[in-house]
Amino acid sequence: MAQVQRMSRLMVKTLRDDPADAETLNHKLLVRAGYVRRTAAGIWTWLPLGKKVYENVARVVREEMDAIGGQEVLLPALLPKEPYEASGRYEEYGDLLFRLKDRKGSDYLLGPTHEEIFTQVVKDQCSSYKDLPVILYQIQTKYRDEARPRAGVLRGREFQMKDAYSFDTSDEGLAEAYALHRGAYQRIFERLGLDYRIVSAVSGAMGGSQSEEFLAPAPAGEDTFVDCPACDYAANTEAVTFALKPASTEGHPAVEELDTPDTPTIETLAEHLGVPASATLKNLLVKVDGEIVAVGVPGDREVDLGKLGEHLAPAEVELVTAEDFEGRADLVRGYVGPQGLDKVRYIADPRVAPGTSWITGANKPDRHARNVVCGRDFEVDDYLDVVVVEAGDPCPACGAGLKLDRAIEIGHIFQLGRKYADTFQLDVLGQNGKPVRVTMGSYGIGVSRAVAALVEQTADEHGLCWSKEVAPADVHVVAAGKAVQTELALDVAGQLGAAGVRVLVDDRAGVSPGVKFTDAELIGVPQILVAGRRSAEGVLELKDRRTGEREELSVAEAIARLSA
Ligand code: ATP
Ligand code: MG
């Protein structure tokens, strides 16, 4: 016996118009169809239909987490500050953290994620290697004071996350737990009906697969990723690498100095010489742990400081200031060229390969040099991928021109290692009786965000369009209006319910058939069964919400079909 929900009793008020401030499909449609209401910026109320969809997503997540041996727990959202101070995140999170005080003046926070508390739980509960490995998870409300809470339930300040944590005594164990989660996530997103890509979340230099993101391509997404139209390569923009292709350094003309007054920028230089910016070599000066370093990239490309920082971490990267040039006659601001930088470490993008020839600064005011050849006139100390990726860049796997696409981050898996175990001295007794430091993974899925991502990917011009697995009902039975139609609709709805089919039946009196049909499309249940014109003969019309296909069926046929 499944639930039969009657629209005449259900708290659902649909709207004809989009909310004024809504920019994204999920915000517009979830509000218009009566699934959610905004309580405050980034804070949402889930109404009955919305709660059903949310719970269906949560159920799929739960089933797949249980299937890999995850044990569900529920930690508090209101947390003492001390564990987050110990890990450094009380400070690191900055404005993202909701902080509050209790009546005694003690500091608390609303949990943005729970690594610290899970580590403490395991320290309290597990003492021997025999207690491990263990996978714990929860589906719980998280709080982050996001700068731009927008896009409906896609980015909330209060939102629901499934967060899981694995605890192992060895690196192999962690790798295994990571693989288990990766597989579970693939099954979850497939069952939910989300189109997704798995991309490495860290730059190539850090290598490996310690961290991957699950991205759902959608124009409303806030992440940009690269997607190869020719092969299955997909990556975070920070992770794209460019192959170094050295060529011969011979046969180039000699270096020639040029008089280039007032050309301290690539634009002024390219215009003055009448060459494309790509023919010039841009040398950005930065300080790495206080030491001046030059970074060379083609003049038409931008340096991605985030990428550079990641490559050089834990060293600190800062931009140079005017003071840094004092007492450095070798550094002529605006006219730096690598051929004169003997005392400065030179980092370059692989596009600046041995054998390439450039127009670059001559290390004298208002002077540039041409035919400056990499490997002949200057050497590169380190090659690092540091340019901002652009559409059309070659795919590292197959060479085809890459596309840049928008996507929603729906999941993130991460091999944390011993960072939190070190902070909280999480050890267990090993086989040999000696303490072993535990290694951890953390694995998140945005459960409320997944609802938004589904809408962004599946809605059409008529409204929401759910897959069977997440829909708030299996069938939406519409009684066109007359008494005989309502009678038939309620009868069929009752029989479907008895057969285990989840039914929403529109038995509202005084609502026109047109409004009921529009609402059914907007609400987005996969099958719409109409008791209309031929109700007296016991004939119904079944419409597929997604394809729009219709067919007429008898009551018995409809019940057989829909309960199959
Ligand atoms: P983002 O880059 O979008 O801010 P994040 O990388 O900070 O997300 P994680 O800490 O990796 O997020 O959290 C795990 C998952 O929780 C994310 O993959 C995402 O699906 C979800 N999530 C994170 N922040 C929000 C939010 N503000 N609203 C809804 N879901 C969120
Ligand atoms: Mg993330």
Side-chain angles (χ1 to χ4, degrees):
M1 184 77 199
Q3 197 187 13
V4 176
Q5 300 173 84
R6 296 173 67 155
M7 288 275 279
S8 58
R9 313 243 172 91
L10 185 69
M11 196 179 69
V12 56
K13 189 168 138 202
T14 57
L15 307 172
R16 286 295 150 252
D17 297 314
D18 293 332
D21 55 338
E23 291 166 14
T24 51
L25 266 183
N26 86 87
H27 185 176
K28 291 174 189 170
L29 291 175
L30 290 174
V31 169
R32 276 183 48 203
Y35 281 63
V36 300
R37 282 291 178 272
R38 205 188 80 131
T39 302
I43 303 178
W44 292 88
T45 295
W46 294 83
L47 296 171
L49 288 176
K51 180 68 169 30
K52 285 215 148 55
V53 171
Y54 167 80
E55 283 303 335
N56 287 336
V57 172
R59 173 181 44 79
V60 170
V61 170
R62 203 168 258 133
E63 285 172 6
E64 296 299 339
M65 286 305 299
D66 290 346
I68 60 165
Q71 303 179 54
E72 187 171 2
V73 294
L74 184 57
L75 271 54
L78 179 59
L79 302 169
K81 115 180 130 166
E82 287 72 21
Y84 288 79
E85 251 181 353
S87 70
R89 293 211 288 187
Y90 193 69
E91 288 304 317
E92 260 168 47
Y93 263 114
D95 288 341
L96 211 61
L97 206 59
F98 276 103
R99 300 156 210 263
L100 62 165
K101 285 191 191 296
D102 71 2
R103 62 170 76 207
K104 295 195 189 109
S106 307
D107 289 308
Y108 286 79
L109 58 104
L110 296 176
T113 173
H114 280 71
E115 281 77 2
E116 287 82 349
I117 314 297
F118 271 90
T119 308
Q120 291 186 322
V121 167
V122 170
K123 186 174 165 79
D124 177 57
Q125 297 290 318
C126 302
S127 53
S128 153
Y129 71 94
K130 292 181 200 149
D131 298 328
L132 299 185
V134 70
I135 294 173
L136 300 174
Y137 77 95
Q138 61 176 346
I139 296 179
Q140 191 233 22
T141 304
K142 297 277 189 271
Y143 296 87
R144 295 182 187 179
D145 195 359
E146 302 276 0
R148 277 175 298 282
R150 53 170 285 273
V153 293
L154 200 59
R155 180 174 297 282
R157 295 198 296 163
E158 176 182 283
F159 61 97
Q160 279 71 37
M161 196 202 287
K162 184 285 300 174
D163 46 328
Y165 306 84
S166 65
F167 298 84
D168 283 274
T169 49
S170 69
D171 294 348
E172 295 72 39
L174 170 57
E176 213 168 289
Y178 184 90
L180 282 175
H181 281 86
R182 198 176 193 272
Y185 278 34
Q186 289 174 299
R187 288 186 289 279
I188 289 167
F189 296 130
E190 249 144 57
R191 281 179 64 184
L192 294 180
L194 279 166
D195 173 27
Y196 70 94
R197 308 273 190 288
I198 304 176
V199 304
S200 169
V202 290
S203 75
M206 316 238 320
S209 60
Q210 311 101 311
S211 175
E212 286 168 301
E213 289 171 352
F214 289 72
L215 300 182
E222 294 172 298
D223 288 32
T224 305
F225 77 110
V226 298
D227 205 7
C228 179
C231 73
D232 62 4
Y233 178 84
N236 199 299
T237 48
E238 276 100 68
V240 179
T241 55
F242 185 87
L244 181 72
K245 294 184 216 102
S248 170
T249 54
E250 315 218 325
H252 292 277
V255 174
E256 180 190 347
E257 263 192 40
L258 306 167
D259 199 24
T260 52
D262 297 327
T263 55
T265 64
I266 293 294
E267 292 72 39
T268 49
L269 174 67
E271 200 186 314
H272 179 86
L273 295 177
V275 298
S278 58
T280 69
L281 177 62
K282 174 153 78 184
N283 303 290
L284 181 78
L285 297 179
V286 295
K287 276 189 295 182
V288 178
D289 275 350
E291 176 206 340
I292 291 189
V293 168
V295 182
V297 302
D300 61 337
R301 304 298 300 237
E302 292 304 319
V303 174
D304 186 330
L305 287 172
K307 247 178 165 177
L308 181 66
E310 240 175 65
H311 281 301
L312 300 176
E316 186 126 358
V317 178
E318 298 165 275
L319 289 172
V320 290
T321 59
E323 290 160 27
D324 296 314
F325 289 86
E326 281 166 23
R328 293 293 301 254
D330 58 329
L331 299 179
V332 184
R333 209 171 188 189
Y335 299 91
V336 171
Q339 70 282 19
L341 295 180
D342 301 334
K343 295 196 264 332
V344 175
R345 176 175 168 202
Y346 195 64
I347 294 172
D349 183 78
R351 288 166 183 82
V352 188
T356 53
S357 171
W358 304 93
I359 297 169
T360 192
N363 301 301
K364 295 173 192 162
D366 293 336
R367 305 278 286 171
H368 279 89
R370 80 160 98 223
N371 310 322
V372 179
V373 175
C374 178
R376 183 188 74 180
D377 306 312
F378 67 94
E379 299 295 332
V380 172
D381 296 312
D382 297 291
Y383 277 108
L384 297 177
D385 280 283
V386 292
V387 304
V388 176
V389 171
E390 289 172 14
D393 278 352
C395 169
C398 77
L402 292 169
K403 279 193 307 162
L404 285 181
D405 279 327
R406 308 285 287 172
I408 299 165
E409 182 191 321
I410 46 176
H412 194 167
I413 54 178
F414 204 70
Q415 292 194 23
L416 286 172
R418 297 182 176 78
K419 175 173 181 226
Y420 293 92
D422 284 344
T423 300
F424 297 99
Q425 286 157 22
L426 172 59
D427 296 331
V428 291
L429 272 193
Q431 235 159 337
N432 57 6
K434 288 198 188 119
V436 186
R437 183 89 352 139
V438 171
T439 181
M440 286 170 63
S442 89
Y443 318 89
I445 288 182
V447 178
S448 48
R449 181 178 283 187
V451 175
L454 275 168
V455 177
E456 297 295 335
Q457 286 191 342
T458 62
D460 63 18
E461 68 273 24
H462 304 296
L464 301 168
C465 206
W466 303 110
S467 64
K468 190 170 163 59
E469 186 95 69
V470 296
D474 300 314
V475 189
H476 188 139
V477 180
V478 178
K482 298 202 184 91
V484 58
Q485 295 166 333
T486 306
E487 206 174 297
L488 178 65
L490 287 173
D491 175 37
V492 173
Q495 292 192 50
L496 284 169
V501 180
R502 300 170 306 142
V503 185
L504 179 62
V505 54
D506 195 345
D507 59 339
R508 291 176 294 177
V511 176
S512 78
V515 167
K516 288 185 178 177
F517 296 144
T518 311
D519 277 351
E521 305 263 284
L522 179 61
I523 286 169
V525 170
Q527 302 286 337
I528 300 170
L529 187 64
V530 182
R533 234 167 8 91
R534 298 182 62 192
S535 290
E537 306 157 57
V539 176
L540 301 136
E541 189 182 69
L542 183 65
K543 181 175 172 187
D544 185 297
R545 169 66 185 85
R546 192 176 296 278
T547 64
E549 272 166 40
R550 301 157 184 267
E551 79 189 283
E552 291 197 322
L553 298 171
S554 70
V555 172
E557 283 169 337
I559 288 163
R561 174 81 63 84
L562 293 167
S563 55

